[in-house]
C-alpha cells in the first residue's frame, strides 16, 4: 500500500470538451469530502460541485465517480473528477488537490505502475496498454487491445505453471530417490510434457515476427538504378515532397524514411540511392546504405524504368522471392515487361501498386488470429526459456541438474510477465507512458 495519494489529468490536451482528473490512493475518501462535500456512491456517475477545500470557492461543476479499492483501475481507492476541459478550470482543480495533505502529482505511468504492483496487470498487459495508447493502425489497435486484456499473460503463465508442476514432480522423485519402493518413471511423463512445451514455444516464436512488425511497422525499401523514379514514387505515396526529385542521376544520397498506413498496418518506406558503379565517395556511401536497407527490409520494391529496364543487381539476388516485388516505372514513356507499372507523372497504377502492397503485407501480418509476441524482450525471454528446457530434457544429465534447468526456464517466463526481478525493466516500460496513465 502506498502512503501517498496521487492525482493527474488523465484525459488529453486542453482545451477539451470534458477533462478527467484521476485521484488514487488512501486519501481518496478524505479528498472527496473536502472537494465534493461528501463521498459519492461507489461506481455511480454523480453530478457534483467541485469546491476549493479551504476557501469553499466554486471551481467547476461536473461528474464524480468513486471506485473503492480493490475494484478499480489501480486496485486502490480511485476518484474521478470529470469537469470542463478549460485550461483554467483544470488548473484550479489541480491546484486545489495539491493543497490537500497527502496528495501529490502523479508521475508518468504511475497509475499503471500501481495497477501492476497491486497485481491488477502483469508486464505484458502493461505493455499492451502502452501500445494501445500509441496505436495508429487498426492492426496495432487490435493486437494491443488483446495484449492488454491478457492473451500473452494467459499463455506465458500457463506455460510457467506447467514448468513449476513438472519441477515439483521431479523434486518429489529426488526426495524419494533413496526409497526402494518408489518407481523412477514419474519423470518419463514429465519429460514428454516438457518436449511438447518446447514445441509450443517454438511454434509461437516461429511467426515471421508478425507481432513485432505490427507494432514497429512493416519496412519496405525502394531500390533501383539512378533516375528510376524512386524519390518520385516516395513523394507520391507520402502525398508530399519528402525527397528531392531532379532529372540528374544520383540525386538521392542518404536513405529517407516515411511512415504511412497501408490498409490496417503501419509501414515504413525507405527511399534509397540509385544503384550504379561510381567513383563519387558520397554516392558510394549512399549505395552501401541502400544495400543495407534492402537487406533489412521486409519487402524490397525494385523499380525498373520502362524506358531503360534494369535487372536486379547480383548482390540483391539473395533476397527471397516473397520479399521482392518488381515494378515498372515511368509507364508513360514506354511499355514495360512488368506486371505492375506506375507513372508518377500521370499518377497511373499507384492504386494497383498499393493494393499489391496491402495484399503482401496482410499475408505476412495476418489479422490477429492468434496471440503474437510483440517485442524483442518477449522473443529473448522465450528463447532463453526454450534453451533451458532443451538442457533439461537431456537424459544423460543428473536429475538434480535437470531440475535446476527447469527452474531457470520457469524464471525466464516469470521475468516475462513480471513475476520476478523486473525493477530495471519497469522504469523502461513506464517511461513510455504519459502522465495520467
Ligand atoms: N472514465 C474512465 N474511462 C476509462 C478509464 C478510466 O480510468 N476512467 N480507463 C482507464 O484505463 C479505461 C478503462 N479501464 C478500466 C479498467 C478497470 C476499471 C475497474 O473499475 N475495474 C474493476 C471493476 C470491473 C468490473 O466492474 O467488471 C475491477 O477490475 O475490479 C475501470 C476502468 C478506459 N476508459
Ligand atoms: N516521364 C516520367 N518521368 C518520371 C517519372 N517518375 C519520375 N520521373 C522523372 O525521372 C527523374 C528522376 O526521378 P527521381 O524520382 O529523382 O528518381 P530516383 O530514382 O529517385 O533517382 P536517384 O535519386 O538518382 O536514384 C526526374 O526528372 C523525374 O521527374 C514518371 O513516371 N514518368
Amino acid at each position: 500500500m502506498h502512503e501517498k495519494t496521487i492525482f493527474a489529468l488523465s484525459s488529453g490536451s486542453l482545451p477539451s470538451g470534458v477533462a478527467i482528473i484521476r485521484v488514487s490512493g488512501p486519501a481518496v475518501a478524505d479528498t472527496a469530502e473536502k472537494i465534493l462535500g461528501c463521498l459519492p456512491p461507489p461506481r455511480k456517475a454523480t453530478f457534483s460541485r467541485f469546491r476549493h477545500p479551504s476557501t469553499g470557492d466554486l471551481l467547476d461543476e461536473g461528474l464524480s465517480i468513486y471506485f473503492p479499492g480493490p475494484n478499480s483501475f489501480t486496485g486502490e481507492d480511485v476518484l474521478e473528477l470529470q469537469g470542463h476541459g478549460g485550461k483554467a478550470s483544470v488548473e484550479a482543480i489541480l491546484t486545489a488537490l495539491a493543497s490537500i495533505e497527502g496528495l501529490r502529482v502523479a508521475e508518468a505511468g504511475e497509475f499503471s505502475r500501481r495497477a501492476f504492483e497491486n497485481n491488477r496487470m502483469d508486464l505484458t498487459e502493461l505493455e499492451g496498454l502502452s501500445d494501445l495508447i500509441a496505436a495508429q493502425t487498426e492492426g496495432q489497435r487490435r493486437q494491443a487491445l488483446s495484449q492488454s486484456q491478457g492473451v500473452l499473460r494467459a499463455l506465458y503463465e500457463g506455460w510457467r505453471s506447467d514448468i513449476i508442476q513438472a519441477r515439483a514432480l521431479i523434486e518429489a522423485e529426488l526426495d524419494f530417490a533413496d526409497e526402494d519402493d518408489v518407481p523412477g518413471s514419474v519423470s518419463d511423463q514429465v519429460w514428454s510434457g516438457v518436449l511438447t512445451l518446447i514445441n509450443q514455444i517454438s511454434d509461437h516464436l516461429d511467426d515471421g515476427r508478425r507481432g513485432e512488425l505490427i507494432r514497429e511497422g512493416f519496412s519496405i525499401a525502394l531500390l533501383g538504378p539512378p533516375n528510376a523514379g524512386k524519390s518520385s514514387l516516395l513523394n507520391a505515396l507520402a502525398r508530399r515532397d519528402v525527397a528531392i526529385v531532379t532529372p540528374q542521376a544520383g540525386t538521392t544520397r542518404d536513405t529517407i524514411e516515411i511512415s504511412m498506413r497501408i490498409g490496417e498496418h503501419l509501414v515504413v518506406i525507405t527511399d534509397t540511392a540509385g544503384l550504379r558503379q561510381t567513383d563519387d565517395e558520397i554516392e558510394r556511401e549512399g549505395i552501401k546504405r541502400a544495400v543495407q536497407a534492402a537487406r533489412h527490409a521486409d519487402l524490397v520494391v525494385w523499380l525498373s524504368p520502362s524506358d531503360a529496364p534494369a535487372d536486379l543487381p547480383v548482390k540483391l539476388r539473395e533476397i527471397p522471392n516473397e520479399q521482392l516485388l518488381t515494378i515498372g516505372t515511368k509507364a508513360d514513356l514506354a511499355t514495360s515487361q512488368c506486371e505492375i507499372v506506375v507513372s508518377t507523372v500521370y499518377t497511373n497504377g499507384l492504386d494497383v501498386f498499393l493494393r499489391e502492397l496491402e495484399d503482401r503485407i496482410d499475408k505476412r501480418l495476418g489479422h490477429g488470429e492468434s496471440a503474437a509476441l510483440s517485442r524483442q524482450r518477449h522473443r529473448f525471454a522465450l528463447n532463453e526459456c526454450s534453451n533451458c528446457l532443451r538442457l533439461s530434457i537431456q537424459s544423460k544429465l543428473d536429475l538434480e541438474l535437470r531440475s535446476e534447468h527447469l527452474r531457470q526456464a520457469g524464471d525466464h517466463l516469470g521475468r516475462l510477465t513480471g513475476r520476478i526481478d523486473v525493477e530495471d525493466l519497469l522504469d523502461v516500460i513506464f517511461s513510455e507512458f504519459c502522465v495520467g496513465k
Side-chain angles (χ1 to χ4, degrees), residues 226-232 246-247 249-252 274 330 332-333 343-345:
N227 263 349
K230 300 178 291 299
S231 303
S232 303
T246 74
T251 302
T252 304
K330 303 190 177 182
D332 51 292
L333 295 184
S343 162
T344 55
V345 169

Side-chain angles (χ1 to χ4, degrees), residues 20 22 43 67 70-73 80 82 120 437:
I20 302 182
R22 202 154 47 165
R43 309 183 67 82
F67 302 88
N71 298 320
S72 68
F73 176 76
E80 280 188 10
Q82 310 191 348
R120 318 257 335 146
K437 191 69 224 176

Side-chain angles (χ1 to χ4, degrees), residues 53-89:
S54 34
T55 63
D57 263 4
L58 182 64
L59 304 174
D60 195 5
E61 53 181 27
L63 297 177
S64 60
I65 310 180
Y66 167 51
F67 302 88
N71 298 320
S72 68
F73 176 76
T74 56
E76 304 177 319
D77 283 355
V78 170
L79 178 68
E80 280 188 10
L81 302 174
Q82 310 191 348
H84 294 96
K87 285 188 184 167
S89 307

Side-chain angles (χ1 to χ4, degrees), residues 39 136 282 395 422:
L39 187 62
Q136 301 181 47
I282 304 173
S395 54
V422 287

Side-chain angles (χ1 to χ4, degrees), residues 81-103:
L81 302 174
Q82 310 191 348
H84 294 96
K87 285 188 184 167
S89 307
V90 169
E91 200 52 50
I93 296 167
L94 293 177
T95 307
L97 289 171
S99 75
I100 299 173
E101 177 138 339
L103 264 62

